[in-house]
mmCIF file of all heavy atoms in Angstrom:
data_model
loop_
_atom_site.group_PDB
_atom_site.id
_atom_site.type_symbol
_atom_site.label_atom_id
_atom_site.label_comp_id
_atom_site.label_asym_id
_atom_site.label_seq_id
_atom_site.Cartn_x
_atom_site.Cartn_y
_atom_site.Cartn_z
ATOM 1 N N ASN K 30 -10.623 6.305 -0.843
ATOM 2 C CA ASN K 30 -11.886 7.043 -0.998
ATOM 3 C C ASN K 30 -11.667 8.414 -1.638
ATOM 4 O O ASN K 30 -12.502 8.891 -2.401
ATOM 5 C CB ASN K 30 -12.566 7.219 0.359
ATOM 6 C CG ASN K 30 -13.239 5.938 0.810
ATOM 7 O OD1 ASN K 30 -13.681 5.131 -0.015
ATOM 8 N ND2 ASN K 30 -13.314 5.734 2.113
ATOM 9 N N ALA K 32 -9.482 9.077 -3.844
ATOM 10 C CA ALA K 32 -9.318 8.844 -5.288
ATOM 11 C C ALA K 32 -10.668 8.551 -5.946
ATOM 12 O O ALA K 32 -10.962 9.053 -7.039
ATOM 13 C CB ALA K 32 -8.341 7.689 -5.522
ATOM 14 N N SER K 92 -10.357 -17.596 -17.583
ATOM 15 C CA SER K 92 -10.898 -16.912 -18.767
ATOM 16 C C SER K 92 -12.428 -16.866 -18.713
ATOM 17 O O SER K 92 -13.048 -15.908 -19.176
ATOM 18 C CB SER K 92 -10.404 -17.571 -20.059
ATOM 19 O OG SER K 92 -10.557 -18.945 -19.979
ATOM 20 N N ILE K 107 -20.266 0.132 -20.249
ATOM 21 C CA ILE K 107 -19.071 0.801 -19.727
ATOM 22 C C ILE K 107 -18.022 0.930 -20.848
ATOM 23 O O ILE K 107 -17.653 -0.056 -21.480
ATOM 24 C CB ILE K 107 -18.483 -0.007 -18.543
ATOM 25 C CG1 ILE K 107 -19.509 -0.159 -17.411
ATOM 26 C CG2 ILE K 107 -17.195 0.651 -18.037
ATOM 27 C CD1 ILE K 107 -20.007 1.113 -16.787
ATOM 28 N N ILE K 131 -11.565 -2.995 -23.820
ATOM 29 C CA ILE K 131 -12.049 -1.941 -22.901
ATOM 30 C C ILE K 131 -10.832 -1.332 -22.213
ATOM 31 O O ILE K 131 -10.035 -2.055 -21.611
ATOM 32 C CB ILE K 131 -13.020 -2.514 -21.849
ATOM 33 C CG1 ILE K 131 -14.303 -2.970 -22.535
ATOM 34 C CG2 ILE K 131 -13.327 -1.468 -20.774
ATOM 35 C CD1 ILE K 131 -15.444 -3.318 -21.610
ATOM 36 N N TYR K 153 0.436 4.931 1.848
ATOM 37 C CA TYR K 153 1.748 4.770 2.482
ATOM 38 C C TYR K 153 1.958 5.786 3.609
ATOM 39 O O TYR K 153 2.407 5.446 4.704
ATOM 40 C CB TYR K 153 2.868 4.887 1.435
ATOM 41 C CG TYR K 153 4.232 4.797 2.092
ATOM 42 C CD1 TYR K 153 4.717 3.578 2.531
ATOM 43 C CD2 TYR K 153 5.003 5.931 2.327
ATOM 44 C CE1 TYR K 153 5.942 3.482 3.181
ATOM 45 C CE2 TYR K 153 6.222 5.844 2.972
ATOM 46 C CZ TYR K 153 6.684 4.615 3.392
ATOM 47 O OH TYR K 153 7.885 4.534 4.051
ATOM 48 N N ASP K 165 5.848 5.184 19.245
ATOM 49 C CA ASP K 165 5.919 6.175 20.337
ATOM 50 C C ASP K 165 5.263 5.617 21.597
ATOM 51 O O ASP K 165 5.774 5.751 22.704
ATOM 52 C CB ASP K 165 5.183 7.467 19.950
ATOM 53 C CG ASP K 165 5.959 8.299 18.943
ATOM 54 O OD1 ASP K 165 7.137 7.967 18.689
ATOM 55 O OD2 ASP K 165 5.378 9.261 18.396
ATOM 56 N N ILE K 205 15.565 -4.794 7.895
ATOM 57 C CA ILE K 205 14.754 -4.800 6.664
ATOM 58 C C ILE K 205 15.325 -5.794 5.648
ATOM 59 O O ILE K 205 16.525 -6.079 5.666
ATOM 60 C CB ILE K 205 14.679 -3.378 6.029
ATOM 61 C CG1 ILE K 205 16.082 -2.834 5.713
ATOM 62 C CG2 ILE K 205 13.920 -2.428 6.924
ATOM 63 C CD1 ILE K 205 16.051 -1.542 4.923
ATOM 64 N N ASN K 210 22.449 -9.668 6.408
ATOM 65 C CA ASN K 210 23.432 -9.866 7.479
ATOM 66 C C ASN K 210 23.417 -8.771 8.551
ATOM 67 O O ASN K 210 24.434 -8.162 8.851
ATOM 68 C CB ASN K 210 24.857 -9.955 6.883
ATOM 69 C CG ASN K 210 24.913 -10.990 5.778
ATOM 70 O OD1 ASN K 210 24.331 -12.069 5.927
ATOM 71 N ND2 ASN K 210 25.571 -10.667 4.680
ATOM 72 N N LEU K 215 22.524 -6.081 15.407
ATOM 73 C CA LEU K 215 21.629 -6.298 16.538
ATOM 74 C C LEU K 215 22.424 -6.732 17.775
ATOM 75 O O LEU K 215 22.239 -6.191 18.872
ATOM 76 C CB LEU K 215 20.586 -7.366 16.149
ATOM 77 C CG LEU K 215 19.570 -7.750 17.214
ATOM 78 C CD1 LEU K 215 18.762 -6.533 17.664
ATOM 79 C CD2 LEU K 215 18.609 -8.826 16.671
ATOM 80 N N VAL K 234 11.193 -4.393 12.943
ATOM 81 C CA VAL K 234 11.478 -5.502 12.034
ATOM 82 C C VAL K 234 10.458 -5.504 10.893
ATOM 83 O O VAL K 234 9.248 -5.470 11.149
ATOM 84 C CB VAL K 234 11.351 -6.853 12.785
ATOM 85 C CG1 VAL K 234 11.748 -8.002 11.886
ATOM 86 C CG2 VAL K 234 12.158 -6.854 14.075
#
Side-chain angles (χ1 to χ4, degrees):
N30 283 330
S92 48
I107 301 299
I131 293 191
Y153 177 75
D165 286 350
I205 58 172
N210 308 318
L215 179 59
V234 184

